Amino acid sequence: MSRILDQRILLLVISFSASVQSTKVLSEWKKCGDPECEKAMSRVQATTDYLGPDCRYLSFKTGEEIIVYSKLSRENENLWAGSKGKHFGYFPRDAVKIEEVLIGEEVEVLTKEADFLCLHEDKYTFE
């Protein structure tokens, strides 16, 4: 009986660890087109297929157009955030090429924990 309880506790700890890892903050800072990060910064085109590792990431195919709304800065400058149709998420900047710059100047702002949550059917979920 004790052994079964130990195994269940271990599975619970592993499950919790995976959950925390997938909702962790990817960077404390980001660059945006305005302080609220509501303005589109640029329009980019995918130069390669990309399949994101979890629901925080935007998956796309070569040639698809993405609107960029923020770029992580300092700790993780390789990730940008944008939308493709109804889908929003992070993607590597080296998987796209800039087609059009839509803002004149970038502002750097602190990220929020909500920036790194998954949104499914209008509900935030922790994976």
Side-chain angles (χ1 to χ4, degrees), residues 25-96:
V25 172
L26 300 172
S27 177
E28 290 190 31
W29 294 91
K30 62 184 176 179
K31 293 180 181 176
C32 300
D34 63 288
E36 292 78 30
C37 296
E38 294 175 352
K39 283 186 182 176
M41 298 178 73
S42 59
R43 183 175 53 81
V44 300
Q45 184 177 46
T47 57
T48 186
D49 292 354
Y50 176 72
L51 179 61
D54 63 46
C55 62
R56 296 174 297 172
Y57 292 82
L58 182 68
S59 297
F60 48 79
K61 303 254 184 230
T62 303
E64 290 186 308
E65 185 177 283
I66 301 161
I67 302 299
V68 178
Y69 287 93
S70 68
K71 303 172 182 179
L72 296 184
S73 60
R74 300 188 189 187
E75 302 99 41
N76 208 348
E77 293 185 350
N78 185 47
L79 289 178
W80 290 1
S83 65
K84 176 190 73 154
K86 295 182 199 177
H87 303 283
F88 183 88
Y90 292 93
F91 58 91
R93 71 179 182 186
D94 58 359
V96 299

